[in-house]
Amino acid sequence: MRSPADELAERSAAALHRQLRTLSAASGASLTLANGDVLQNFGSNDYLGLASHPALKKAAINAATRYGTGSRSSRLVTGSLDIYQRLESRLARLKRTDAALTFSTGYAAAVGTLTALLRKGDTVILDKLCHASLIDGARLSGAKIRVFPHNSLTKLRKILEQTPTTWHTRTIIVTESVFSMDGDFAPLREIVDLKDEFGAWLLVDEAHAFGLFGDHGSGRAEQLGLHHAIELQMGTFSKAAGSAGGYLAASGEIIELLVNSARSFIYSTAPPPAQAAASLTAIDLIDSAEGRARRETLSTHIAAIAPKTSDACHIIPYPIGDAERAVAVSAQLMERGFFVPAIRYPTVPRDSARLRISLTADHSSHDIEQLRNALESVGA
Ligand SMILES: *Cc1c(COP(=O)(O)O)cnc(C)c1O
């Protein structure tokens, strides 16, 4: 039998061993370690600072008081609490789709959607940098998997040319609107043109864009005016929405099909009502003057620290390459009071280790300036 100790030793030797760090508190802008040390937090996905917003906390408390803590069953078994339907119709209105379905997590949304809509004989075409949840969903679906180099339209076209779609098969292109570890954008307009030309469907995971782009904050599809052009709009409330839970916004028929066939929806207990209530309040905030103001604060921070490229966003990668060096630089920053995570294989390709700086509306301009100085002092 293969020894777990050997496997762990291999990881340590490659500077790929990971350990849980215990926190006693966290906010968008800071972390408190178990020993009481407080670090400036530049590793959070709570991009708008909503996870500690009083309105979300209050919504969660009220829902727990009204419904209890657990949801008690899968939504198909004893019935579906009204709070989920309210969340889903509010989300569909924001996304300007017919319907929406929520899942316990974004991971469950990705796996449930892809396995429900694809089967053997179908084809799923993924961007090389797609999130693990999308890869796992594609693998579990039994469809043929094709991968195109990150954002390569030429290669995507080539794959589509080689993929005949018949009346009884499906081809789904899968990408993210903002890539989680690179902070760059997919060329969504061009991909929409391609999938229309070849009669494929498109799934866009807006995990890192939901709440952050477009006048209403619904994501890149809204910002680019593509909400009617994308069949499958996926995302999560666990990042900028400051709550938890995945979603798929799509046509009424697709949503009905998922209710009947997405195994991560059917065979899993509904998430706590408090989670749905916090997500619902988050949507109202995102689609309000306060949401717009928070997005503007974030833009100011981005402009103060990101390289001056046209598509800089709230995720700023600092390429380092070697995993050991990335871990060392991250440790030096921690000594100076800044938490900036080192991202290593298998989250990113081998030898493309990096620091991943994420900014939130909870940071102050002073925090950003201090981070800039700290990065300079460690030679990053
Ligand atoms: C975080 C993330 C997910 C998973 O969402 P959870 O709600 O955390 O399970 C899916 N896709 C992408 C691109 C993500 O970054």
Side-chain angles (χ1 to χ4, degrees):
M1 194 74 85
R2 193 166 66 247
S3 138
D6 287 351
E7 272 182 65
L8 288 168
E10 269 167 38
R11 282 172 192 250
S12 296
L16 298 176
H17 186 256
R18 299 171 180 217
Q19 254 172 333
L20 292 171
R21 182 180 300 106
T22 305
L23 304 176
S24 60
S27 74
S30 72
L31 295 178
T32 310
L33 302 179
N35 67 7
D37 285 355
V38 178
L39 299 175
Q40 298 259 39
N41 185 4
F42 286 97
S44 163
N45 296 326
D46 180 17
Y47 305 120
L48 293 175
L50 295 188
S52 42
H53 196 289
L56 269 75
K57 291 187 193 176
K58 190 160 159 248
I61 291 165
N62 288 347
T65 305
R66 174 166 168 194
Y67 299 101
T69 49
S71 69
R72 304 176 182 89
S73 75
S74 160
R75 287 169 62 189
L76 283 165
V77 176
T78 42
S80 175
L81 291 170
D82 52 9
I83 187 78
Y84 305 117
Q85 268 102 333
R86 276 166 56 207
L87 172 61
E88 286 160 356
S89 48
R90 179 67 183 91
L91 178 68
R93 182 150 67 82
L94 180 77
K95 287 283 185 184
R96 296 170 67 186
T97 55
D98 289 348
L101 188 67
T102 55
F103 295 75
S104 304
T105 64
Y107 189 99
V111 170
T113 300
L114 289 169
T115 53
L117 297 180
L118 291 164
R119 55 166 90 141
K120 197 162 179 285
D122 294 341
T123 306
V124 53
I125 311 174
L126 300 135
D127 185 287
K128 175 87 175 116
L129 296 188
C130 275
H131 189 259
S133 59
L134 300 165
I135 298 170
D136 293 356
R139 284 186 182 152
L140 263 176
S141 75
K144 179 169 184 182
I145 298 180
R146 304 289 312 265
V147 174
F148 59 98
H150 182 47
N151 284 345
S152 169
L153 295 165
T154 343
K155 191 62 210 278
L156 174 58
R157 167 177 285 280
K158 207 160 266 163
I159 294 172
L160 284 164
E161 282 168 356
Q162 297 161 354
T163 309
T165 301
T166 64
W167 65 272
H168 60 94
T169 61
R170 286 200 183 117
T171 303
I172 303 183
I173 302 167
V174 178
T175 191
E176 296 175 23
S177 59
V178 173
F179 282 83
S180 57
M181 296 298 142
D182 293 68
D184 60 351
F185 301 110
L188 285 186
R189 281 211 180 93
E190 291 78 1
I191 295 179
V192 163
D193 289 345
L194 272 177
K195 67 98 184 158
D196 284 342
E197 183 181 338
F198 288 91
W201 282 0
L202 176 60
L203 183 152
V204 176
D205 182 349
E206 296 246 39
H208 295 273
F210 183 70
L212 300 169
F213 296 92
D215 191 41
H216 298 279
S218 94
R220 290 280 291 167
E222 179 200 337
Q223 188 183 39
L224 300 171
L226 295 172
H227 37 273
H228 296 302
I230 299 170
E231 290 79 8
L232 307 165
Q233 302 186 48
M234 201 203 105
T236 175
F237 302 118
S238 65
K239 284 148 188 170
S243 176
Y247 69 78
L248 187 82
S251 71
E253 273 180 358
I254 289 177
I255 295 304
E256 196 178 334
L257 184 58
L258 288 179
V259 168
N260 283 273
S261 58
R263 295 169 65 88
S264 62
F265 175 80
I266 300 171
Y267 299 105
S268 187
T269 300
Q275 173 181 320
S279 304
L280 178 57
T281 300
I283 297 177
D284 286 337
L285 267 169
I286 282 166
D287 187 11
S288 75
E290 181 178 345
R292 251 160 252 134
R294 284 177 182 253
R295 288 193 281 281
E296 265 161 39
T297 304
L298 191 56
S299 298
T300 310
H301 294 341
I302 295 165
I305 196 165
K308 303 282 171 279
T309 57
S310 58
D311 61 355
C313 77
H314 50 286
I315 300 167
I316 306 167
Y318 247 92
I320 291 191
D322 179 55
E324 210 162 335
R325 170 125 199 284
V327 172
V329 176
S330 174
Q332 286 172 336
L333 286 167
M334 198 174 296
E335 276 162 28
R336 288 164 171 76
F338 296 88
F339 177 70
V340 182
I343 309 287
R344 298 167 276 171
Y345 178 82
T347 307
V348 294
R350 271 185 206 281
D351 299 317
S352 78
R354 66 199 65 179
L355 298 180
R356 176 186 183 268
I357 300 168
S358 56
L359 305 177
T360 91
D362 259 359
H363 290 121
S364 67
S365 299
H366 181 64
D367 296 338
I368 306 292
E369 201 182 303
Q370 283 188 314
L371 174 68
R372 258 203 350 234
N373 296 338
L375 285 167
E376 267 167 34
S377 78
V378 299

